[in-house]
Amino acid sequence: MLDTVIGEGLFIMLLGIGFVLTFLCILIIGMMIMSKVVGYLNQLFPEQVFVVEKPSKKLASSDDEAIAVALAVIKARG
């Protein structure tokens, strides 16, 4: 009786491992195919690249001046 229970348990375990392995292989193949498709679509429809300009040093100094003025007003009122 113990041999049949262990045998059935091993059969179910191997069946489950087979399903999981098959699913993972299908998933990997699907991801590879999607990668090729998206790469091809990126060649057909490339994304626009926007150039972001860095703020100049003048803006930083004007921010410092604005902070100094704000602190002076706070000190004068307080």
Side-chain angles (χ1 to χ4, degrees):
M1 179 172 173
L2 185 63
D3 291 332
T4 59
V5 173
I6 291 176
E8 289 177 2
L10 287 174
F11 175 73
I12 292 173
M13 181 182 72
L14 291 175
L15 192 65
I17 290 172
F19 279 126
V20 170
L21 185 63
T22 303
F23 172 75
L24 289 176
C25 289
I26 292 171
L27 183 68
I28 290 170
I29 292 169
M31 288 175 60
M32 289 175 148
I33 291 171
M34 286 301 296
S35 174
K36 300 284 184 186
V37 169
V38 169
Y40 178 71
L41 289 176
N42 278 339
Q43 289 177 356
L44 290 178
F45 307 107
E47 288 188 35
Q48 293 179 352
V49 178
F50 297 105
V51 178
V52 178
E53 297 180 16
K54 294 182 180 179
S56 63
K57 295 288 181 178
K58 275 189 172 180
L59 293 177
S61 65
S62 67
D63 287 343
D64 291 340
E65 292 172 3
I67 292 172
V69 169
L71 289 175
V73 169
I74 292 170
K75 199 169 200 180
R77 290 190 180 207

